[in-house]
């Protein structure tokens, strides 16, 4: 092979990454911020073989235009009367994700291939791949993704969920400054292994509101990773590497309230509160529903689901210290059931 041919071959080599329990092969022309580079064996990915992410608008158009029946609208998101995101499904093409200002991604029904058609005016178009497409792929490939921030503390995955603006990212950032490792700022993939829950890292990008970021010292910012710019008045940081998959160590349901106690272990857990934390609503197969219920049952049976009330005047640093103190006083985690069907029915409020 000539030197020129070797350079062309190297330039076309796909980059290997892991995220959301997936092994990924990315087209080298796609710059997806926040994805961890995979090791030689891609051992941190649960799903195998790798999902291929390709920049190929022509093939996307060909597959979508060759449909023999109209697609089904699975999801639609609007803001102030303007449509900003849609997801359509049709066999055999798969799921077509469209996001205003970012472009389109066509995901094959098995999640093995993603075809991208970017908005040429947006240099950051690949955010749609990391933030929306890959969580959907993880769902197709057998994992369940929660809309949650996640941090590994003392080798266990601590997840934080709650309504938009509740403070998930702020608390995750404070836990990082206290020595934790980032799993994700927004979405964490859960896998059931013999009835035990394992959490996989998602995007390693963390975003903080500008006003909060300005209160941090240089050393505190360094603990969050490398600063890579501002998006919608939020400072973005990217960590250098992802932690290994970690056993589940707790789920904190974050809510703003003046009530006490600040942290309350939940004995009777509404399954709706857990199902509401599901990230992806577009995959509606019976197999996915069964897996969703299995994960919810395993979460409820763990004894590690808490309500975390945030009182007025309590900042994220103080709240992180409270979480650390709580975790340090907890007894060893109870054994996970051998299968989700063994979950204590009394721990769930009936559907």
């Amino acid at each position: 092979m000539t030197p020129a041919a070797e350079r062309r071959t190297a330039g076309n080599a796909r980059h290997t990454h892991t995220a959301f329990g997936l092994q990924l092969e990315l087209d080298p022309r796609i710059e997806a911020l926040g994805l961890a580079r995979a090791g030689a064996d891609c051992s941190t990915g649960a799903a195998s073989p790798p999902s291929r992410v390709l920049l190929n608008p022509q093939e996307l158009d060909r597959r979508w235009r060759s449909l023999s029946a109209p697609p089904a609208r699975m999801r639609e998101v609007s803001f102030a009367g303007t449509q900003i995101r849609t997801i359509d499904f049709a066999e055999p093409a798969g799921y077509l994700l469209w996001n205003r200002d970012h472009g389109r991604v066509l995901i094959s029904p098995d999640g093995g291939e993603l075809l991208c058609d970017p908005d040429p005016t947006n240099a950051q178009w690949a955010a749609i791949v990391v933030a929306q497409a890959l969580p959907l792929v993880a769902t197709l490939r057998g994992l369940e993704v929660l809309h949650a921030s996640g941090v590994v503390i003392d080798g266990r995955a601590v997840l934080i969920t709650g309504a938009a603006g509740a403070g998930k990212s702020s608390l995750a950032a404070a836990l990082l400054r206290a020595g934790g490792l980032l799993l994700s700022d927004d979405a964490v993939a859960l896998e059931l292994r013999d009835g035990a829950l394992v959490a996989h890292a998602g995007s390693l990008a963390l975003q903080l509101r500008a006003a909060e970021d300005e209160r941090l010292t240089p050393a505190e910012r360094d603990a969050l990773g490398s600063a890579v710019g501002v998006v919608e008045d939020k400072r973005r940081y990217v960590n250098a590497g992802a932690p290994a998959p970690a056993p589940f160590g707790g789920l904190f349901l974050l809510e703003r309230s003046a009530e006490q106690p600040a942290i309350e272990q939940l004995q009777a857990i509404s399954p709706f509160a857990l199902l509401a934390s599901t990230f992806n609503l577009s995959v509606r197969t019976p197999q996915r529903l069964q897996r969703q219920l299995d994960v919810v049952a395993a979460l409820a049976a763990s004894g590690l689901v808490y309500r975390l009330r945030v009182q007025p005047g309590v900042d994220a640093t103080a709240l992180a210290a409270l979480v650390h103190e709580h975790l340090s006083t907890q007894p060893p985690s109870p054994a996970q059931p051998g299968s989700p069907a063994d979950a204590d029915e009394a721990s769930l409020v009936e559907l």
Side-chain angles (χ1 to χ4, degrees):
M1 182 180 293
T2 67
E6 290 179 353
R7 286 194 296 271
R8 286 194 298 271
T9 302
N12 291 329
R14 294 171 188 159
H15 296 164
T16 57
H17 297 264
T18 59
F20 303 103
L22 302 167
Q23 301 176 26
L24 302 170
E25 292 182 354
L26 260 68
D27 187 310
R29 297 169 293 175
I30 299 175
E31 188 174 351
L33 193 67
L35 296 183
R37 292 302 297 264
D41 60 356
C42 296
S43 59
T44 58
S48 182
S51 292
R52 302 179 304 278
V53 187
L54 307 174
L55 186 62
N56 197 334
Q58 294 79 18
E59 180 62 14
L60 187 158
D61 275 333
R62 188 194 69 77
R63 294 186 191 181
W64 200 247
R65 288 174 180 172
S66 64
L67 296 177
S68 58
R73 177 59 50 89
M74 309 304 292
R75 182 97 166 110
E76 184 173 315
V77 179
S78 297
F79 179 75
T82 301
Q83 192 176 73
I84 60 174
R85 185 182 310 126
T86 60
I87 301 178
D88 297 314
F89 176 74
E91 289 280 11
Y95 294 83
L96 182 64
L97 168 63
W98 168 84
N99 203 84
R100 190 189 68 178
D101 302 328
H102 291 82
R104 301 180 298 167
V105 180
L106 180 61
I107 303 166
S108 64
D110 64 356
E113 186 174 70
L114 295 80
L115 302 177
C116 301
D117 176 21
D119 183 333
T121 66
N122 185 355
Q124 306 299 322
W125 70 269
I128 188 179
V129 175
V130 179
Q132 298 295 329
L134 292 182
L136 195 156
V137 172
T139 304
L140 293 172
R141 303 209 61 182
L143 294 100
E144 193 59 39
V145 181
L146 292 189
H147 195 174
S149 297
V151 178
V152 176
I153 299 174
D154 295 331
R156 302 191 70 82
V158 175
L159 310 184
I160 308 153
T161 188
K168 298 187 294 294
S169 296
S170 299
L171 178 53
L175 291 170
L176 291 184
R177 298 195 299 270
L181 300 173
L182 182 66
L183 277 170
S184 179
D185 181 20
D186 193 52
V188 177
L190 291 178
E191 177 192 4
L192 270 172
R193 293 182 181 175
D194 299 323
L197 290 166
V198 176
H200 295 267
S203 168
L204 301 180
L206 175 75
Q207 296 186 159
L208 280 183
R209 290 182 174 85
E212 183 172 356
D213 181 71
E214 290 170 0
R215 292 196 291 265
L216 301 181
T217 67
E220 289 174 328
R221 293 191 183 98
D222 287 343
L224 302 181
S226 301
V228 293
V230 177
V231 178
E232 297 179 352
D233 195 39
K234 293 183 179 179
R235 174 69 64 180
R236 178 176 287 184
Y237 295 88
V238 174
N239 277 242
F248 173 68
L251 173 64
F252 291 83
L253 308 179
L254 197 62
E255 66 176 47
R256 296 194 176 276
S257 172
E259 298 181 24
Q260 295 286 345
I263 297 179
E264 173 190 0
Q265 184 175 12
L266 298 180
Q267 301 298 330
I269 306 166
S270 167
F272 298 109
L274 299 178
L275 288 169
S277 299
T278 298
F279 189 85
N280 172 47
L281 302 176
S282 302
V283 180
R284 304 173 187 174
T285 64
Q287 295 84 358
R288 192 280 170 98
L289 177 59
Q290 181 63 60
R291 188 175 66 246
Q292 225 176 355
L293 296 176
D294 288 346
V295 168
V296 165
L299 287 169
S302 71
L304 299 172
V305 180
Y306 310 95
R307 178 179 290 113
L308 176 53
R309 296 188 175 101
V310 184
Q311 284 76 35
V314 176
D315 65 16
T317 300
L319 197 61
L322 187 65
V323 170
H324 266 288
E325 180 183 3
H326 176 81
L327 293 173
S328 68
T329 61
Q330 294 305 294
S333 302
Q336 296 267 6
S339 68
D342 295 331
D344 179 7
E345 294 182 1
S347 68
L348 285 171
V349 176
E350 291 186 4
L351 285 166

